[in-house]
Amino acid sequence: MGTEISEPLILNKINMDGGCDGVKSERVPEWKDQITIRGLVVSALLGTLFCIITHKLNLTVGIIPSLNVGAGLLGFFFVKSWTGFLTKLGFQVSPFTKQENTVIQTCVVACYGLAFSGGFGSSMIAMDERTYNLIGADYPGNRAEDIKNPGLGWMSGFLFVVSFLGLFSLAPLRKVMVLDYRLTYPSGTATAMLINSFHTNTGAELAGKQVKCLGKYLSISLVWSCFKWFFSGIGDACGFDNFPSFGLTLFKNTFYFDFSPTYVGCGLICPHIVNCSVLLGAIISWGFLWPFISAHAGDWYPSGLENNNFKGLYGYKVFIAIALILGDGLYNLIKIIYITAKEMCNKSTKHSKLPTVNEVIDDETSKGLAEQRKRDEIFLKDRIPTWFAASGYVALAAISTATIPIIFPPLKWYLVLVSYIIAPALAFCNSYGTGLTDWNLTSTYGKIGLFIIASIVGSDGGVMAGLAACGVMMSIVSTAADLMQDFKTGYLTLSSAKSMFVSQLLGTAMGCVIAPLTFWLFWTAFDVGSPDGPYKAPYAVIFREMAILGIEGFSELPKHCLALCCGFFVGALVVNLLRDVTPKKISQFIPIPMAMAVPFYIGAYFAIDMFVGTIILYIWERINRKDAEDYSGAVASGLICGDGIWTIPSAVLSIFKINPPICMYFGPSVSS
């Protein structure tokens, strides 16, 4: 997705900016000095903020954009402000290095990454009683025994026993992935470029301007979210979130602009094709498909059913969305496996086509080679012993194999053990594929584990076992890919591999505590999972239905639903194939099925918001492309962070039963 970033281009850009000038004379701190108390404090604060943002996005639309720009900028701002303030007071402080900046970035990403890979918006919440009741107590395969409501104790315990395994599974392969294969890891490379630029004279000046821009829009977003709250009344039908921007008829089909800074910010960050794909999915589903199926009520399905009855329109919405998601995920999984096997085969025959630094480094001087040797030397200096990684994985796998069946009794110990035997191979595939394409297929691997375990266990506990296995698999493959991204970032910022590994461990430990606590804030303050509320938790129903599907099959689907699902499943495969076989000037306009699937279930309103964001960015790029490149990430991060910060006081007000004083409601005018 998005613009491909080649490693040589990034390295040359860093050299031109001066980020790596004078590598030989640059003093690189020891790995222990790269991890500081102030850095960990800032990491915990930012990790909490970004966990809240991730939960909010997870429980509303399920689309999580990259927040690395915001994390990098805020980390730089907080530590620079801290050191500047102490210096003015006369204290002597150690300088803020790019290595420390990289450690903060790594900690924050590891922390808020668990808010996604921990399954809080998918597999974990799919076990709760609300989702069970939403699907229906009489629905085949949906058993009351397969209920486990969220609890701080078991959620934190589960994260602690599964989240560290991915880090130990691939740590010995860091040299192979980063140095031997020279994998690009576009996001990690771009993050390194950002951090390197902060620590140059020109880069620091730009970073200061970006921080001011982020603060400005964060304040605007926070004030606007607060203002909206006063008009949101009691219930879910009041306020700007229900503003019929395009009239009441389209409003009934969820086509309206809901004035959400978060979704507009997502539109600014996500590539244009993603935003357009989401809007196209909304138009196809809510503009044509659902009205067409609704017109056949009484024939295709019984009329007069409740909105959340799976035997009615709701069933079409959920299962067609599942078909698109599975079609897209299956295609990309096969594609990544094919690319991985092909490139590894090429590498073994010395004909690798992977991007390497040697291809474009200036042949007229030895400076580029000297810089590369310096990076290699620093990266390999502080080794992570293979025996340590292997014994750590085995010990954690043993603890987890004994603990998980206690938390989830239907998931037997031998199934957990088998999962941990094959997990390193899947983690390698995901990490390698991420390095090549920047596509992280964590949720796809999770769904594969869900279907396999659910079908093996069967009707007696298969739903809970499948969902738990999904959480285990997602955690391992996600943290392994994140670790390799961070190794790449550390390699390019002259950071120690050992400091990267330790900061990942520390960030993961923070996430095991912070992610459940911030989720608990939402769970206790809001009606999470209600189909009519703002926090619909869309993937809760989808993941539970996938588990049931793995056990029961398709027998209970409404009329023609299976045919429509097959059509959209095949359609997702065909569209993805067209994206790969057509020339880039054509393929860049072909939509992404995974992005199209989201509004099928949720609605069109957030697609409108994201499209507004993409229009703003498009116009901005036409007026001043450089300004757009420099500041769009800061604007988007400010909008998202401001709205995220308001979540905390609004949750506190909700807990204390303090309701908004005004209900702004729109309805048709009544003639006298």
Side-chain angles (χ1 to χ4, degrees):
M1 270 195 310
T3 305
E4 291 184 0
I5 303 171
S6 67
E7 180 181 318
L9 175 65
I10 292 295
L11 288 176
N12 288 343
K13 178 70 167 63
I14 292 172
N15 291 338
M16 287 189 294
D17 287 345
C20 294
D21 286 343
V23 167
K24 291 185 179 179
S25 61
E26 181 178 353
R27 180 188 174 276
V28 177
E30 290 295 320
W31 75 268
K32 292 181 181 178
D33 297 329
Q34 296 173 21
I35 303 171
T36 62
I37 297 297
R38 69 188 181 192
L40 295 178
V41 171
V42 169
S43 299
L45 291 173
L46 292 180
T48 301
L49 173 60
F50 285 108
C51 274
I52 290 171
I53 293 169
T54 303
H55 285 316
K56 181 170 184 178
L57 290 169
N58 237 342
L59 298 174
T60 50
V61 296
I63 295 178
I64 315 294
S66 174
L67 302 172
N68 288 5
V69 172
L73 276 173
L74 288 172
F76 178 81
F77 167 72
F78 279 129
V79 178
K80 274 291 187 183
S81 301
W82 185 329
T83 55
F85 177 70
L86 291 179
T87 301
K88 287 180 180 179
L89 292 178
F91 292 97
Q92 186 176 359
V93 294
S94 57
F96 181 43
T97 64
K98 60 186 178 184
Q99 288 80 16
E100 184 181 355
N101 205 158
T102 305
V103 165
I104 293 172
Q105 176 89 8
T106 300
C107 268
V108 174
V109 172
C111 180
Y112 86 76
L114 287 186
F116 165 70
S117 63
F120 293 98
S122 53
S123 59
M124 200 177 286
I125 198 173
M127 303 176 187
D128 82 316
E129 187 174 2
R130 195 169 291 163
T131 306
Y132 163 78
N133 290 328
L134 196 59
I135 292 175
D138 58 343
Y139 192 84
N142 189 37
R143 305 186 318 147
E145 291 83 356
D146 293 320
I147 292 176
K148 192 171 187 66
N149 286 314
L152 277 177
W154 75 260
M155 289 191 300
S156 291
F158 175 70
L159 290 181
F160 268 111
V161 297
V162 302
S163 299
F164 293 93
L165 281 130
L167 304 180
F168 286 90
S169 65
L170 294 189
L173 299 181
R174 63 188 177 89
K175 179 179 177 294
V176 174
M177 307 287 259
V178 177
L179 296 185
D180 295 344
Y181 288 133
R182 295 282 173 190
L183 295 176
T184 309
Y185 286 103
S187 292
T189 305
T191 301
M193 175 184 169
L194 182 75
I195 292 173
N196 275 313
S197 70
F198 286 166
H199 297 270
T200 63
N201 291 332
T202 54
E205 183 180 349
L206 175 60
K209 293 178 180 178
Q210 289 173 328
V211 167
K212 288 180 181 178
C213 181
L214 188 150
K216 174 184 174 182
Y217 284 92
L218 184 150
S219 302
I220 292 172
S221 176
L222 179 60
V223 170
W224 173 247
S225 299
C226 177
F227 176 77
K228 282 202 310 177
W229 177 83
F230 282 94
F231 297 90
S232 57
I234 300 174
D236 303 312
C238 305
F240 287 93
D241 291 343
N242 295 278
F243 191 94
S245 322
F246 310 114
L248 291 170
T249 301
L250 287 175
F251 177 78
K252 291 179 181 177
N253 283 340
T254 71
F255 283 96
Y256 57 92
F257 179 64
D258 76 345
F259 298 92
S260 169
T262 295
Y263 303 151
V264 175
C266 289
L268 283 166
I269 292 179
C270 292
H272 293 306
I273 188 60
V274 172
N275 298 318
C276 293
S277 299
V278 171
L279 182 64
L280 179 62
I283 293 171
I284 290 173
S285 56
W286 293 89
F288 297 100
L289 188 58
W290 304 154
F292 172 77
I293 294 176
S294 297
H296 290 79
D299 179 17
W300 288 16
Y301 62 90
S303 58
L305 295 176
E306 295 182 3
N307 291 335
N308 58 351
N309 193 311
F310 273 87
K311 296 179 180 178
L313 181 62
Y314 192 68
Y316 292 94
K317 293 177 183 178
V318 171
F319 286 106
I320 291 176
I322 290 174
L324 274 173
I325 291 169
L326 292 180
D328 186 280
L330 179 63
Y331 179 88
N332 281 291
L333 178 63
I334 295 171
K335 173 184 170 183
I336 293 297
I337 292 174
Y338 170 74
I339 292 174
T340 300
K342 180 181 176 183
E343 294 299 341
M344 291 184 70
C345 182
N346 288 343
K347 185 68 180 179
S348 66
T349 56
K350 305 301 181 182
H351 295 295
S352 175
K353 297 179 183 179
L354 291 175
T356 65
V357 181
N358 293 337
E359 293 174 3
V360 294
I361 283 183
D362 187 4
D363 293 328
E364 297 178 3
T365 68
S366 62
K367 180 180 177 183
L369 291 172
E371 290 174 351
Q372 181 184 328
R373 282 196 297 270
K374 183 68 174 179
R375 288 193 182 89
D376 292 353
E377 178 188 333
I378 292 171
F379 188 69
L380 296 173
K381 178 185 174 185
D382 298 313
R383 294 181 179 277
I384 302 167
T386 301
W387 67 265
F388 174 76
S391 58
Y393 186 85
V394 171
L396 288 170
I399 294 170
S400 186
T401 301
T403 306
I404 288 180
I406 298 174
I407 302 173
F408 306 107
L411 187 59
K412 304 301 181 184
W413 67 268
Y414 48 86
L415 295 175
V416 179
L417 182 61
V418 170
S419 299
Y420 287 144
I421 291 172
I422 64 173
L426 299 179
F428 175 81
C429 291
N430 191 44
S431 298
Y432 197 103
T434 304
L436 286 173
T437 66
D438 214 27
W439 276 89
N440 191 330
L441 300 180
T442 293
S443 61
T444 301
Y445 288 103
K447 295 183 190 93
I448 291 171
L450 185 156
F451 275 116
I452 292 174
I453 298 299
S455 59
I456 289 174
V457 175
S459 58
D460 187 17
V463 170
M464 182 172 289
L467 292 170
C470 175
V472 170
M473 201 59 67
M474 283 179 63
S475 179
I476 293 174
V477 299
S478 177
T479 52
D482 288 345
L483 177 65
M484 285 301 160
Q485 288 270 20
D486 292 328
F487 276 147
K488 184 66 174 185
T489 303
Y491 171 73
L492 295 175
T493 58
L494 301 179
S495 302
S496 165
K498 190 174 287 187
S499 71
M500 291 293 93
F501 184 72
V502 173
S503 58
Q504 266 278 353
L505 290 174
L506 293 171
T508 302
M510 291 179 189
C512 290
V513 176
I514 294 172
L517 283 173
T518 48
F519 173 78
W520 197 251
L521 180 73
F522 285 89
W523 182 257
T524 55
F526 306 111
D527 192 18
V528 174
S530 169
D532 302 317
Y535 297 101
K536 296 179 175 64
Y539 284 107
V541 169
I542 288 175
F543 271 66
R544 191 174 182 92
E545 274 293 348
M546 285 182 183
I548 294 172
L549 209 59
I551 299 168
E552 297 292 327
F554 302 95
S555 59
E556 293 297 317
L557 297 183
K559 190 176 181 180
H560 301 305
C561 185
L562 180 59
L564 287 169
C565 288
C566 291
F568 277 94
F569 180 86
V570 173
L573 298 176
V574 171
V575 170
N576 272 303
L577 183 63
L578 288 174
R579 283 178 55 82
D580 286 335
V581 300
T582 53
K584 188 167 184 178
K585 62 182 180 181
I586 298 174
S587 65
Q588 63 180 331
F589 298 109
I590 298 177
I592 301 169
M594 184 73 78
M596 292 175 62
V598 179
F600 270 66
Y601 173 67
I602 300 172
Y605 58 92
F606 81 96
I608 303 293
D609 293 4
M610 292 181 68
F611 191 67
V612 168
T614 211
I615 289 175
I616 292 171
L617 181 60
Y618 180 82
I619 295 172
W620 193 355
E621 288 172 337
R622 293 298 172 270
I623 296 173
N624 190 329
R625 178 170 289 274
K626 187 175 186 312
D627 267 9
E629 290 175 353
D630 288 343
Y631 297 106
S632 60
V635 172
S637 299
L639 292 174
I640 294 171
C641 290
D643 200 21
I645 290 171
W646 172 249
T647 302
I648 300 172
S650 67
V652 172
L653 291 169
S654 178
I655 289 171
F656 286 100
K657 307 298 181 185
I658 300 174
N659 297 313
I662 303 169
C663 174
M664 185 173 68
Y665 175 78
F666 298 90
S669 58
V670 180
S671 57
S672 54

PDB file of all heavy atoms in Angstrom, residues 11 39 91 94 135 137-138 153 243 278 290 294 298 367 393 426 464 486 507 546 552 561 585 618 658:
ATOM      1  N   LEU A  11      18.816   5.996   2.096  1.00  0.00           N
ATOM      2  CA  LEU A  11      20.179   6.214   2.557  1.00  0.00           C
ATOM      3  C   LEU A  11      20.798   7.439   1.916  1.00  0.00           C
ATOM      4  O   LEU A  11      21.460   8.237   2.561  1.00  0.00           O
ATOM      5  CB  LEU A  11      21.042   4.976   2.258  1.00  0.00           C
ATOM      6  CG  LEU A  11      20.749   3.755   3.126  1.00  0.00           C
ATOM      7  CD1 LEU A  11      21.593   2.584   2.668  1.00  0.00           C
ATOM      8  CD2 LEU A  11      21.011   4.053   4.577  1.00  0.00           C
ATOM      9  N   GLY A  39      13.583   8.544  28.741  1.00  0.00           N
ATOM     10  CA  GLY A  39      13.021   7.938  27.536  1.00  0.00           C
ATOM     11  C   GLY A  39      11.904   6.968  27.852  1.00  0.00           C
ATOM     12  O   GLY A  39      10.877   6.919  27.163  1.00  0.00           O
ATOM     13  N   PHE A  91      20.735  22.659  35.460  1.00  0.00           N
ATOM     14  CA  PHE A  91      21.118  21.256  35.602  1.00  0.00           C
ATOM     15  C   PHE A  91      21.913  20.811  34.372  1.00  0.00           C
ATOM     16  O   PHE A  91      21.668  21.272  33.254  1.00  0.00           O
ATOM     17  CB  PHE A  91      19.886  20.366  35.760  1.00  0.00           C
ATOM     18  CG  PHE A  91      19.162  20.567  37.059  1.00  0.00           C
ATOM     19  CD1 PHE A  91      18.057  21.397  37.128  1.00  0.00           C
ATOM     20  CD2 PHE A  91      19.588  19.926  38.211  1.00  0.00           C
ATOM     21  CE1 PHE A  91      17.377  21.586  38.318  1.00  0.00           C
ATOM     22  CE2 PHE A  91      18.917  20.100  39.414  1.00  0.00           C
ATOM     23  CZ  PHE A  91      17.809  20.939  39.464  1.00  0.00           C
ATOM     24  N   SER A  94      22.338  14.948  29.946  1.00  0.00           N
ATOM     25  CA  SER A  94      22.971  14.267  28.813  1.00  0.00           C
ATOM     26  C   SER A  94      22.247  14.641  27.527  1.00  0.00           C
ATOM     27  O   SER A  94      21.033  14.867  27.525  1.00  0.00           O
ATOM     28  CB  SER A  94      22.926  12.751  29.024  1.00  0.00           C
ATOM     29  OG  SER A  94      21.592  12.320  29.201  1.00  0.00           O
ATOM     30  N   ILE A 135     -25.477 -12.059  18.383  1.00  0.00           N
ATOM     31  CA  ILE A 135     -25.657 -13.108  17.371  1.00  0.00           C
ATOM     32  C   ILE A 135     -26.932 -13.902  17.629  1.00  0.00           C
ATOM     33  O   ILE A 135     -27.637 -14.298  16.696  1.00  0.00           O
ATOM     34  CB  ILE A 135     -24.420 -14.032  17.351  1.00  0.00           C
ATOM     35  CG1 ILE A 135     -23.207 -13.251  16.829  1.00  0.00           C
ATOM     36  CG2 ILE A 135     -24.661 -15.272  16.493  1.00  0.00           C
ATOM     37  CD1 ILE A 135     -21.910 -14.015  16.869  1.00  0.00           C
ATOM     38  N   ALA A 137     -28.993 -16.260  21.068  1.00  0.00           N
ATOM     39  CA  ALA A 137     -28.819 -17.470  21.867  1.00  0.00           C
ATOM     40  C   ALA A 137     -29.271 -18.720  21.117  1.00  0.00           C
ATOM     41  O   ALA A 137     -28.782 -19.825  21.378  1.00  0.00           O
ATOM     42  CB  ALA A 137     -29.597 -17.340  23.177  1.00  0.00           C
ATOM     43  N   ASP A 138     -30.215 -18.554  20.163  1.00  0.00           N
ATOM     44  CA  ASP A 138     -30.729 -19.713  19.430  1.00  0.00           C
ATOM     45  C   ASP A 138     -29.979 -19.959  18.121  1.00  0.00           C
ATOM     46  O   ASP A 138     -30.358 -20.832  17.340  1.00  0.00           O
ATOM     47  CB  ASP A 138     -32.226 -19.519  19.138  1.00  0.00           C
ATOM     48  CG  ASP A 138     -32.510 -18.256  18.329  1.00  0.00           C
ATOM     49  OD1 ASP A 138     -31.619 -17.373  18.265  1.00  0.00           O
ATOM     50  OD2 ASP A 138     -33.623 -18.139  17.775  1.00  0.00           O
ATOM     51  N   GLY A 153      -7.521  -8.914  34.958  1.00  0.00           N
ATOM     52  CA  GLY A 153      -6.580  -9.950  35.371  1.00  0.00           C
ATOM     53  C   GLY A 153      -6.222 -10.906  34.257  1.00  0.00           C
ATOM     54  O   GLY A 153      -5.044 -11.069  33.910  1.00  0.00           O
ATOM     55  N   PHE A 243     -25.377  14.226  12.159  1.00  0.00           N
ATOM     56  CA  PHE A 243     -25.759  15.400  11.366  1.00  0.00           C
ATOM     57  C   PHE A 243     -26.087  14.962   9.938  1.00  0.00           C
ATOM     58  O   PHE A 243     -25.222  14.444   9.230  1.00  0.00           O
ATOM     59  CB  PHE A 243     -24.605  16.408  11.356  1.00  0.00           C
ATOM     60  CG  PHE A 243     -24.961  17.749  10.798  1.00  0.00           C
ATOM     61  CD1 PHE A 243     -25.359  18.777  11.640  1.00  0.00           C
ATOM     62  CD2 PHE A 243     -24.900  17.988   9.443  1.00  0.00           C
ATOM     63  CE1 PHE A 243     -25.682  20.022  11.133  1.00  0.00           C
ATOM     64  CE2 PHE A 243     -25.212  19.225   8.921  1.00  0.00           C
ATOM     65  CZ  PHE A 243     -25.616  20.250   9.769  1.00  0.00           C
ATOM     66  N   VAL A 278     -12.496   2.575   0.404  1.00  0.00           N
ATOM     67  CA  VAL A 278     -13.483   2.576   1.487  1.00  0.00           C
ATOM     68  C   VAL A 278     -14.776   3.233   1.020  1.00  0.00           C
ATOM     69  O   VAL A 278     -15.880   2.717   1.257  1.00  0.00           O
ATOM     70  CB  VAL A 278     -12.915   3.299   2.733  1.00  0.00           C
ATOM     71  CG1 VAL A 278     -14.003   3.496   3.782  1.00  0.00           C
ATOM     72  CG2 VAL A 278     -11.768   2.502   3.331  1.00  0.00           C
ATOM     73  N   TRP A 290     -27.551  -3.138  -0.150  1.00  0.00           N
ATOM     74  CA  TRP A 290     -28.476  -3.300   0.978  1.00  0.00           C
ATOM     75  C   TRP A 290     -29.886  -2.812   0.637  1.00  0.00           C
ATOM     76  O   TRP A 290     -30.858  -3.498   0.992  1.00  0.00           O
ATOM     77  CB  TRP A 290     -27.964  -2.600   2.228  1.00  0.00           C
ATOM     78  CG  TRP A 290     -26.595  -3.002   2.713  1.00  0.00           C
ATOM     79  CD1 TRP A 290     -25.744  -2.234   3.437  1.00  0.00           C
ATOM     80  CD2 TRP A 290     -25.910  -4.253   2.549  1.00  0.00           C
ATOM     81  NE1 TRP A 290     -24.576  -2.909   3.712  1.00  0.00           N
ATOM     82  CE2 TRP A 290     -24.656  -4.155   3.187  1.00  0.00           C
ATOM     83  CE3 TRP A 290     -26.244  -5.452   1.906  1.00  0.00           C
ATOM     84  CZ2 TRP A 290     -23.735  -5.190   3.206  1.00  0.00           C
ATOM     85  CZ3 TRP A 290     -25.318  -6.494   1.928  1.00  0.00           C
ATOM     86  CH2 TRP A 290     -24.101  -6.364   2.565  1.00  0.00           C
ATOM     87  N   SER A 294     -33.003  -5.293   0.818  1.00  0.00           N
ATOM     88  CA  SER A 294     -34.128  -4.878   1.675  1.00  0.00           C
ATOM     89  C   SER A 294     -35.448  -4.916   0.906  1.00  0.00           C
ATOM     90  O   SER A 294     -36.509  -5.193   1.492  1.00  0.00           O
ATOM     91  CB  SER A 294     -33.889  -3.461   2.209  1.00  0.00           C
ATOM     92  OG  SER A 294     -32.743  -3.429   3.032  1.00  0.00           O
ATOM     93  N   GLY A 298     -39.247 -10.471   3.094  1.00  0.00           N
ATOM     94  CA  GLY A 298     -40.470 -11.258   2.968  1.00  0.00           C
ATOM     95  C   GLY A 298     -40.316 -12.386   1.982  1.00  0.00           C
ATOM     96  O   GLY A 298     -41.077 -13.361   2.014  1.00  0.00           O
ATOM     97  N   LYS A 367      33.097   6.681   0.490  1.00  0.00           N
ATOM     98  CA  LYS A 367      32.360   7.170   1.654  1.00  0.00           C
ATOM     99  C   LYS A 367      31.128   6.305   1.944  1.00  0.00           C
ATOM    100  O   LYS A 367      30.868   5.931   3.097  1.00  0.00           O
ATOM    101  CB  LYS A 367      31.926   8.617   1.422  1.00  0.00           C
ATOM    102  CG  LYS A 367      31.160   9.216   2.584  1.00  0.00           C
ATOM    103  CD  LYS A 367      30.757  10.643   2.283  1.00  0.00           C
ATOM    104  CE  LYS A 367      29.926  11.214   3.423  1.00  0.00           C
ATOM    105  NZ  LYS A 367      29.460  12.589   3.139  1.00  0.00           N
ATOM    106  N   TYR A 393      12.656 -18.626  24.085  1.00  0.00           N
ATOM    107  CA  TYR A 393      11.441 -19.052  23.389  1.00  0.00           C
ATOM    108  C   TYR A 393      10.892 -20.343  23.990  1.00  0.00           C
ATOM    109  O   TYR A 393       9.682 -20.471  24.226  1.00  0.00           O
ATOM    110  CB  TYR A 393      11.727 -19.244  21.893  1.00  0.00           C
ATOM    111  CG  TYR A 393      10.490 -19.545  21.081  1.00  0.00           C
ATOM    112  CD1 TYR A 393       9.675 -18.533  20.606  1.00  0.00           C
ATOM    113  CD2 TYR A 393      10.126 -20.861  20.812  1.00  0.00           C
ATOM    114  CE1 TYR A 393       8.535 -18.805  19.871  1.00  0.00           C
ATOM    115  CE2 TYR A 393       8.991 -21.150  20.076  1.00  0.00           C
ATOM    116  CZ  TYR A 393       8.197 -20.117  19.611  1.00  0.00           C
ATOM    117  OH  TYR A 393       7.052 -20.403  18.892  1.00  0.00           O
ATOM    118  N   LEU A 426       5.651 -19.222  10.606  1.00  0.00           N
ATOM    119  CA  LEU A 426       4.682 -18.212  10.180  1.00  0.00           C
ATOM    120  C   LEU A 426       5.201 -16.804  10.479  1.00  0.00           C
ATOM    121  O   LEU A 426       5.012 -15.878   9.683  1.00  0.00           O
ATOM    122  CB  LEU A 426       3.343 -18.442  10.881  1.00  0.00           C
ATOM    123  CG  LEU A 426       2.655 -19.776  10.605  1.00  0.00           C
ATOM    124  CD1 LEU A 426       1.340 -19.871  11.381  1.00  0.00           C
ATOM    125  CD2 LEU A 426       2.384 -19.946   9.111  1.00  0.00           C
ATOM    126  N   MET A 464     -14.567 -20.735  21.445  1.00  0.00           N
ATOM    127  CA  MET A 464     -13.606 -20.088  22.340  1.00  0.00           C
ATOM    128  C   MET A 464     -12.175 -20.517  22.020  1.00  0.00           C
ATOM    129  O   MET A 464     -11.248 -19.698  22.036  1.00  0.00           O
ATOM    130  CB  MET A 464     -13.923 -20.404  23.799  1.00  0.00           C
ATOM    131  CG  MET A 464     -12.983 -19.711  24.781  1.00  0.00           C
ATOM    132  SD  MET A 464     -13.467 -19.874  26.512  1.00  0.00           S
ATOM    133  CE  MET A 464     -14.910 -18.816  26.556  1.00  0.00           C
ATOM    134  N   ASP A 486      12.003  -2.700  13.642  1.00  0.00           N
ATOM    135  CA  ASP A 486      12.801  -1.900  14.567  1.00  0.00           C
ATOM    136  C   ASP A 486      14.295  -2.164  14.403  1.00  0.00           C
ATOM    137  O   ASP A 486      15.115  -1.253  14.553  1.00  0.00           O
ATOM    138  CB  ASP A 486      12.372  -2.173  16.011  1.00  0.00           C
ATOM    139  CG  ASP A 486      10.981  -1.646  16.296  1.00  0.00           C
ATOM    140  OD1 ASP A 486      10.604  -0.634  15.695  1.00  0.00           O
ATOM    141  OD2 ASP A 486      10.265  -2.246  17.116  1.00  0.00           O
ATOM    142  N   GLY A 507       8.882  -2.141  25.988  1.00  0.00           N
ATOM    143  CA  GLY A 507       7.642  -1.626  25.406  1.00  0.00           C
ATOM    144  C   GLY A 507       6.525  -2.652  25.443  1.00  0.00           C
ATOM    145  O   GLY A 507       5.361  -2.322  25.705  1.00  0.00           O
ATOM    146  N   MET A 546     -16.896 -16.106  12.294  1.00  0.00           N
ATOM    147  CA  MET A 546     -15.892 -16.928  11.613  1.00  0.00           C
ATOM    148  C   MET A 546     -15.652 -18.224  12.381  1.00  0.00           C
ATOM    149  O   MET A 546     -15.527 -19.302  11.770  1.00  0.00           O
ATOM    150  CB  MET A 546     -14.581 -16.148  11.479  1.00  0.00           C
ATOM    151  CG  MET A 546     -14.576 -15.071  10.418  1.00  0.00           C
ATOM    152  SD  MET A 546     -12.951 -14.280  10.330  1.00  0.00           S
ATOM    153  CE  MET A 546     -13.260 -13.026   9.089  1.00  0.00           C
ATOM    154  N   GLU A 552     -19.854 -24.948  12.136  1.00  0.00           N
ATOM    155  CA  GLU A 552     -21.200 -25.270  11.655  1.00  0.00           C
ATOM    156  C   GLU A 552     -21.361 -25.252  10.138  1.00  0.00           C
ATOM    157  O   GLU A 552     -22.315 -25.797   9.610  1.00  0.00           O
ATOM    158  CB  GLU A 552     -22.196 -24.265  12.252  1.00  0.00           C
ATOM    159  CG  GLU A 552     -22.299 -24.321  13.759  1.00  0.00           C
ATOM    160  CD  GLU A 552     -22.924 -25.613  14.244  1.00  0.00           C
ATOM    161  OE1 GLU A 552     -23.804 -26.159  13.549  1.00  0.00           O
ATOM    162  OE2 GLU A 552     -22.528 -26.077  15.327  1.00  0.00           O
ATOM    163  N   CYS A 561     -27.570 -15.797   0.261  1.00  0.00           N
ATOM    164  CA  CYS A 561     -26.415 -15.190   0.939  1.00  0.00           C
ATOM    165  C   CYS A 561     -25.126 -15.916   0.564  1.00  0.00           C
ATOM    166  O   CYS A 561     -24.092 -15.273   0.313  1.00  0.00           O
ATOM    167  CB  CYS A 561     -26.616 -15.200   2.451  1.00  0.00           C
ATOM    168  SG  CYS A 561     -25.322 -14.339   3.378  1.00  0.00           S
ATOM    169  N   LYS A 585       0.187   2.429 -14.012  1.00  0.00           N
ATOM    170  CA  LYS A 585      -0.645   3.595 -14.296  1.00  0.00           C
ATOM    171  C   LYS A 585      -2.136   3.249 -14.274  1.00  0.00           C
ATOM    172  O   LYS A 585      -2.985   4.125 -14.136  1.00  0.00           O
ATOM    173  CB  LYS A 585      -0.270   4.202 -15.641  1.00  0.00           C
ATOM    174  CG  LYS A 585      -0.468   3.278 -16.842  1.00  0.00           C
ATOM    175  CD  LYS A 585      -0.033   3.948 -18.133  1.00  0.00           C
ATOM    176  CE  LYS A 585      -0.223   3.033 -19.333  1.00  0.00           C
ATOM    177  NZ  LYS A 585       0.220   3.675 -20.602  1.00  0.00           N
ATOM    178  N   TYR A 618      -5.204  15.914  -1.251  1.00  0.00           N
ATOM    179  CA  TYR A 618      -5.031  16.008  -2.710  1.00  0.00           C
ATOM    180  C   TYR A 618      -4.895  17.462  -3.146  1.00  0.00           C
ATOM    181  O   TYR A 618      -3.991  17.814  -3.924  1.00  0.00           O
ATOM    182  CB  TYR A 618      -6.222  15.353  -3.412  1.00  0.00           C
ATOM    183  CG  TYR A 618      -6.144  15.405  -4.920  1.00  0.00           C
ATOM    184  CD1 TYR A 618      -5.389  14.472  -5.617  1.00  0.00           C
ATOM    185  CD2 TYR A 618      -6.815  16.390  -5.647  1.00  0.00           C
ATOM    186  CE1 TYR A 618      -5.300  14.515  -7.005  1.00  0.00           C
ATOM    187  CE2 TYR A 618      -6.739  16.442  -7.024  1.00  0.00           C
ATOM    188  CZ  TYR A 618      -5.983  15.506  -7.699  1.00  0.00           C
ATOM    189  OH  TYR A 618      -5.895  15.558  -9.071  1.00  0.00           O
ATOM    190  N   ILE A 658     -22.458  11.679  34.280  1.00  0.00           N
ATOM    191  CA  ILE A 658     -22.671  13.084  33.914  1.00  0.00           C
ATOM    192  C   ILE A 658     -22.947  13.135  32.423  1.00  0.00           C
ATOM    193  O   ILE A 658     -22.064  12.869  31.603  1.00  0.00           O
ATOM    194  CB  ILE A 658     -21.439  13.944  34.274  1.00  0.00           C
ATOM    195  CG1 ILE A 658     -21.160  13.869  35.774  1.00  0.00           C
ATOM    196  CG2 ILE A 658     -21.644  15.392  33.834  1.00  0.00           C
ATOM    197  CD1 ILE A 658     -19.882  14.569  36.197  1.00  0.00           C
TER     198      ILE A 658
END
